[in-house]
Amino acid sequence: MSDLLAQLNPSQRRAVEHFCGPLLVVAGAGSGKTRALTFRIAHLIRNHRVDPENILAVTFTNKAAREMKERVELLYAQQLAELQHGKPLGGLPEFEQKKLRSQVYKQVTKQLWIGTFHSLCARILRYDINKYQDERGRTWQRNFTIMDDSDVQTLIKRIVTQQLNLDDKKFNPRTIRYQISNAKNLGLTPNDYARQQGGYKGKVVAEVYEAYQTALAANNSLDFDDLILIPVRLFQQNESILGYWHSQFHHILVDEYQDTNYAQYLIVKKLAAVFENICVVGDDAQSIYSFRGANIQNILNFKKDYPDFKLFKLEQNYRSTKNIVEAANSVIARNKDQIKKNVWTDNGEGAKINVVRTLTDNE
């Protein structure tokens, strides 16, 4: 794998070669963070003999997860091609390429735990959700179903208008759905929510939340927020289950760490509590998901959570022109709380930036 690491720039290489202990990789836009994560996974397996099934890599989209798996597979297939045939992978007949990639899939990528928070937590719950009960004693079985957004919206509307006989003009089901989702992302039970919000409206939302959870349990169903929240509570309830997953995941990698919410943060922290071989990659200047509960403090506070952490910065931008990079740097420099970095590029100056003012979003 050492010859492959020569493809990395010095900063990427340092991030890849770090073995044990907490690692924060601050990756500016277009700096090759997915490349660094991919090579890091391959390096752990090849050079440190880490079993693929002991690696957990968390991304935010299914597309990113597929891309990461494909890149790891391609790295190993390229190496096998040179080892077995003395040729680059692209120089082999197509059937030989497929044969090598199939071999890598069976031995490496199939064993890796790579996916989104939701998909990976769903896998965990398929093992152990039958050992969980919530604050009201509600339980679920391992053959649970996952409700999509439209089904959730229909259920909440039925609770509001039929079960609780509320006016859906005053208590908009879509708004209540958002409030319940936000409560779950913050780890709040219905009682917690009622106490935190206070007032009549807070009490009503808590009632809908309570009835909603009862309906979910009765149908052995979860929503997407439950997929993150329930593992957190399960780990809090059952130390032996948490211990099992500690023994499973020796190395944890998290992409886009600046976009994690409180429940996702807790999942990662609990799973990394024993080995602390946690590598998070992100950029505090690229957090845009506060509306869905993302907390920028998760990445800013990494040094408090893991005092012995190492910090590497990926600052070379491969995507943009100098004008764009310099403009972005001048804006980011005004952020009050930030992890200082200086993004730069070897690309050309590019066209000057124009500011366009419009009256509407459509314009």
Side-chain angles (χ1 to χ4, degrees):
M1 191 60 67
S2 57
D3 57 331
L4 289 179
L5 294 189
Q7 301 175 42
L8 303 174
N9 68 37
S11 298
Q12 291 170 337
R13 182 161 185 153
R14 285 193 293 272
V16 167
E17 290 182 324
H18 174 84
F19 180 35
C20 287
L23 171 65
L24 171 59
V25 180
V26 177
S31 61
K33 67 179 178 62
T34 304
R35 183 181 181 83
L37 279 170
T38 302
F39 275 79
R40 180 168 173 77
I41 291 169
H43 187 69
L44 286 171
I45 298 167
R46 180 70 180 178
N47 288 58
H48 296 291
R49 300 290 187 257
V50 177
D51 194 314
E53 70 176 16
N54 294 140
I55 296 175
L56 172 67
V58 189
T59 68
F60 269 85
T61 66
N62 290 317
K63 180 183 176 183
R66 285 194 300 271
E67 182 181 355
M68 200 177 294
K69 278 187 177 180
E70 287 171 1
R71 287 197 190 190
V72 172
E73 191 174 287
L74 191 58
L75 280 176
Y76 272 92
Q78 287 170 341
Q79 189 174 53
L80 279 180
E82 293 175 4
L83 189 65
Q84 295 180 10
H85 302 278
K87 294 181 179 179
L89 184 66
L92 297 177
E94 188 173 340
F95 78 93
E96 284 290 351
Q97 293 185 39
K98 288 183 178 179
K99 183 179 176 182
L100 288 178
R101 293 192 68 157
S102 177
Q103 182 180 340
V104 173
Y105 172 75
K106 291 175 182 176
Q107 295 176 355
V108 181
T109 50
K110 185 180 179 182
Q111 315 301 323
L112 289 166
W113 283 68
I114 296 180
T116 64
F117 273 101
H118 293 92
S119 65
L120 293 169
C121 285
R123 283 182 67 183
I124 289 172
L125 290 177
R126 294 292 181 193
Y127 284 84
D128 293 316
I129 195 172
N130 59 311
K131 302 181 183 76
Y132 167 75
Q133 63 175 254
D134 72 5
E135 71 283 355
R136 294 291 191 188
R138 289 173 287 233
T139 59
W140 286 260
Q141 300 305 310
R142 286 182 289 190
N143 63 339
F144 62 85
T145 58
I146 303 169
M147 295 185 72
D148 62 26
D149 285 339
S150 63
D151 289 336
V152 167
Q153 193 61 44
T154 299
L155 175 56
I156 289 180
K157 184 173 183 178
R158 188 167 70 243
I159 291 170
V160 169
T161 60
Q162 298 177 25
Q163 186 172 336
L164 299 180
N165 294 315
L166 298 168
D167 183 349
D168 61 358
K169 298 290 191 297
K170 292 182 179 178
F171 298 98
N172 186 296
R174 190 168 296 280
T175 301
I176 292 177
R177 162 66 181 134
Y178 172 79
Q179 291 167 324
I180 291 173
S181 177
N182 191 48
K184 289 186 177 185
N185 287 334
L186 293 173
L188 302 177
T189 66
N191 282 341
D192 294 334
Y193 185 85
R195 282 193 298 268
Q196 185 187 85
Q197 294 299 312
Y200 177 64
K201 285 192 174 181
K203 180 174 178 292
V204 169
V205 172
E207 285 181 18
V208 177
Y209 184 3
E210 190 76 64
Y212 173 61
Q213 289 305 109
T214 298
L216 288 177
N219 289 291
N220 196 33
S221 298
L222 303 175
D223 64 21
F224 283 102
D225 299 313
D226 287 323
L227 295 177
I228 310 297
L229 179 59
I230 289 179
V232 172
R233 291 180 175 168
L234 177 63
F235 293 158
Q236 291 169 340
Q237 287 179 8
N238 196 314
E239 288 290 332
S240 65
I241 290 175
L242 179 57
Y244 170 82
W245 293 106
H246 282 157
S247 66
Q248 175 68 44
F249 301 131
H250 298 177
H251 288 268
I252 298 172
L253 302 90
V254 186
D255 192 14
E256 306 289 8
Y257 192 63
Q258 77 278 357
D259 285 327
T260 53
N261 62 36
Y262 183 65
Q264 291 163 339
Y265 161 80
L266 284 180
I267 279 285
V268 172
K269 198 163 192 314
K270 285 190 171 296
L271 289 175
V274 172
F275 293 104
E276 289 199 347
N277 292 330
I278 176 171
C279 167
V280 303
V281 181
D283 182 4
D284 55 303
Q286 294 187 60
S287 182
I288 59 173
Y289 290 113
S290 60
F291 68 90
R292 68 180 187 192
N295 187 352
I296 189 68
Q297 293 303 317
N298 292 344
I299 191 168
L300 296 176
N301 289 339
F302 188 82
K303 60 185 178 184
K304 294 180 182 177
D305 291 332
Y306 305 97
D308 296 328
F309 83 112
K310 297 290 185 184
L311 171 66
F312 297 119
K313 300 177 183 180
L314 306 185
E315 297 174 303
Q316 182 175 1
N317 178 293
Y318 293 92
R319 183 187 302 155
S320 305
T321 62
K322 281 188 170 70
N323 280 331
I324 290 175
V325 169
E326 288 171 8
N329 281 340
S330 69
V331 172
I332 293 167
R334 298 174 182 270
N335 290 350
K336 292 180 180 178
D337 296 320
Q338 62 172 293
I339 302 169
K340 294 285 186 181
K341 64 183 181 303
N342 182 39
V343 179
W344 58 276
T345 184
D346 276 336
N347 295 336
E349 293 290 333
K352 290 185 177 181
I353 296 172
N354 293 315
V355 178
V356 179
R357 179 174 296 175
T358 62
L359 294 177
T360 69
D361 56 342
N362 286 332
E363 285 184 39

